[in-house]
Amino acid sequence: MKATNCIRAALAGLWLAWLAGVSHAGQTHVAVAANFTDAAREIAAAFKQKTGHDAVLSFGSSGQLLAQITQEAPFQIMLSADEERPKKLVDDGFGIPESRFTYAVGKLVLWSRDPKTVTGADTLKNGRFQKVSIASPSAAPYGAAAIESMRALGLYDALKPKIVEGASIAQAFQFVDTGNAEVGFIALSQLAGNNGGSRWLVDQTLYTPIRQDAVLLKKGAQNPAATAFMAFLKGPEARATIEKFGYGLDDKR
Amino acid sequence: MSAELWQPIRLTIELAGLTTLILLIIGTPVAWKLSRHDAWWKHALMAVVAMPLVLPPTVLGFYLLLLLGPSGPGGALASLWGARTMAFSFTGLLIGSVIFSLPFVVQPIHNAFRAMGDRPMEVAATLRASPVRAFWTVAVPLARPGFLTAAMLGFAHTVGEFGVVLMIGGNIPGQTKVLSIAIYDFVETSRWREANILAAGMVAFAFGVILAMNMLEHRMARDNA
């Protein structure tokens, strides 16, 4: 009897401590497109330090995250890899219209772990590789941009049999990183702090700019931590981080 | 139905059929060895066989990606026919599926051999049947229900495979884009009508397999009684 009382008291204490913690600092769930993984981690850490709020990050392809949000996933913010999906979320009543903005402009890069393999567009022309990995073009904007670039170079039909698809850009990277594909189209941000291998920053005239939009979701509209995160993402600290990871910023702002 | 829907169905049936065939061929001798007499190493082997039941598909997928790749044995083997890796190929998926579905085939056969006991083989031996002949004319027919269960489970479990294929497949239509991956793709791209057709088909398939197995077991039990 005494023991159970002790446990009960302890549990109540824990619960109170937890409540106290929550009332001081909030928490927000953010769905993040896979290409933004590392940058988002750094931004979330800075956000925590500055505001005390926790940003809990979930990563996936934009398509995957969209499907989850439309099925009432507990996300309060979506950082997409494109502008269509956040727009669609607003149109379908999941997102707050005026909250949508471009937080980063993505850059596509052709990468190989081998220091000599990638020299430029001619690497694709010569086709001296067996596999080229891309992200799923239907679910991930970087995959669609890769297809678009190959088409613009007139090489798509020749390269098609060599294409392997990852479920997200993270997997496209992993296929090259494990050596299973010699080359792959990935996001420049994935190579931040990695000087290895060889790369070609794909000519940005070859594909539609990858404007990555953020949107506050209805589930987060009443949460101060969520609105604070959106504000923080627009601020100078976050913008510096975003640039550091190899993204462009929206010129329109 | 369009080719987009048919192709993954056909591919999945091919993969599951071949996997089951290979598993019956290599699983039977393994199950037989395991069912005769007890030795410490047999427990270890049994544990190895059962491991895919416990391991998350991501563990198998991760190691397969490395093993099939250019720095693993799979890559060395692939270089025989001029390829660099065995990932992203039907053969690669077949290797993954055989490992993944191994316990589902070995265990039912093993159980059937064990349930049979030593007596039938001893009797066969006193009638001067050679061990090989006794195996084919006595053990295999007696273990028939085990073989049927093994084949059905092996096939069904391979059809239901997802994580391993996602990690080593590369989503290539006609080669590695199996049913489960096609469904995932349709869901991701908001094509829910197509996803529904395939997913509902899978639900019906799963129900059919389990129902058939239950009825089979019931009939076998009655026939034996």
Side-chain angles (χ1 to χ4, degrees), chain A residues 61-67 70-71 85 88 113 130-131 133 136 138-139 161 163-167 171 174-175 178-182, chain B residues 62 64-66 68-71 82-88 165-173 175 184-185 187-190 192:
Chain A
S61 76
S62 298
Q64 195 182 320
L65 297 170
L66 177 86
T70 56
Q71 293 310 300
R85 288 182 176 89
K88 188 172 158 36
R113 235 176 35 167
Q130 290 180 351
K131 299 285 175 208
S133 77
S136 162
S138 44
I163 294 176
V164 293
E165 281 178 25
Q171 209 186 7
Q174 175 205 103
F175 284 158
T178 55
N180 281 291
E182 297 101 308
Chain B
F62 170 53
L64 278 170
L65 197 61
L66 297 181
L68 298 177
S71 14
R84 287 181 67 255
T85 172
M86 282 176 72
F88 320 127
V165 187
L166 185 78
M167 287 185 75
I168 65 169
N171 197 13
I172 303 169
Q175 279 190 57
Y184 179 76
D185 232 36
V187 173
E188 261 201 326
T189 50
S190 306
W192 290 5

Side-chain angles (χ1 to χ4, degrees), chain B residues 30 37 156 166 172 179 208:
Chain B
V30 171
H37 316 293
L166 185 78
I172 303 169
L179 253 175

Side-chain angles (χ1 to χ4, degrees), chain A residues 34-217:
Chain A
N35 77 84
F36 202 62
T37 302
D38 294 330
R41 284 213 178 97
E42 200 170 305
I43 290 171
F47 176 65
K48 166 88 178 161
Q49 206 165 40
K50 197 167 177 186
T51 64
H53 298 314
D54 274 309
V56 181
L57 310 173
S58 300
F59 307 102
S61 76
S62 298
Q64 195 182 320
L65 297 170
L66 177 86
Q68 289 169 3
I69 290 167
T70 56
Q71 293 310 300
E72 305 291 334
F75 300 127
Q76 301 179 330
I77 291 170
M78 182 191 191
L79 304 187
S80 186
D82 65 353
E83 43 182 359
E84 281 75 34
R85 288 182 176 89
K87 210 180 275 173
K88 188 172 158 36
L89 283 172
V90 168
D91 291 345
D92 294 350
F94 291 98
I96 309 291
E98 58 276 16
S99 72
R100 191 167 70 88
F101 78 101
T102 304
Y103 65 92
V105 180
K107 288 176 193 159
L108 189 66
V109 62
L110 184 72
W111 181 61
S112 169
R113 235 176 35 167
D114 179 82
K116 289 196 202 85
T117 300
V118 176
T119 49
D122 50 318
T123 304
L124 292 170
K125 249 169 235 148
N126 300 335
R128 285 201 206 96
F129 48 83
Q130 290 180 351
K131 299 285 175 208
V132 49
S133 77
I134 65 171
S136 162
S138 44
Y142 283 86
I147 300 273
E148 211 184 330
S149 303
M150 285 186 269
R151 272 193 214 278
L153 290 167
L155 297 169
Y156 179 66
D157 291 325
L159 291 174
K160 203 177 166 198
K162 298 184 174 180
I163 294 176
V164 293
E165 281 178 25
S168 72
I169 194 77
Q171 209 186 7
F173 176 84
Q174 175 205 103
F175 284 158
V176 183
D177 202 30
T178 55
N180 281 291
E182 297 101 308
V183 296
F185 283 98
I186 58 168
L188 179 60
S189 54
Q190 290 174 297
L191 292 176
N194 173 355
N195 294 315
S198 51
R199 64 188 72 180
W200 172 53
L201 189 61
V202 179
D203 194 337
Q204 287 185 63
T205 55
L206 294 176
Y207 59 93
T208 321
I210 306 171
R211 299 177 61 84
Q212 306 193 183
D213 278 11
V215 65
L216 179 66
L217 303 171

Side-chain angles (χ1 to χ4, degrees), chain B residues 151-169:
Chain B
M152 282 167 95
L153 274 181
F155 188 91
H157 192 249
T158 308
V159 169
E161 182 179 344
F162 173 69
V164 175
V165 187
L166 185 78
M167 287 185 75
I168 65 169

Side-chain angles (χ1 to χ4, degrees), chain B residues 35-101:
Chain B
S35 66
R36 304 289 99 183
H37 316 293
D38 282 318
W40 68 268
W41 59 268
K42 285 183 178 167
H43 292 288
L45 184 59
M46 200 68 207
V48 171
V49 167
M51 264 187 344
L53 289 173
V54 178
L55 289 175
T58 40
V59 172
L60 295 178
F62 170 53
Y63 283 136
L64 278 170
L65 197 61
L66 297 181
L67 290 175
L68 298 177
S71 14
L77 198 64
S79 64
L80 294 180
W81 57 89
R84 287 181 67 255
T85 172
M86 282 176 72
F88 320 127
S89 70
F90 185 78
T91 319
L93 287 202
L94 197 56
I95 293 171
S97 306
V98 164
I99 296 171
F100 190 58
S101 297

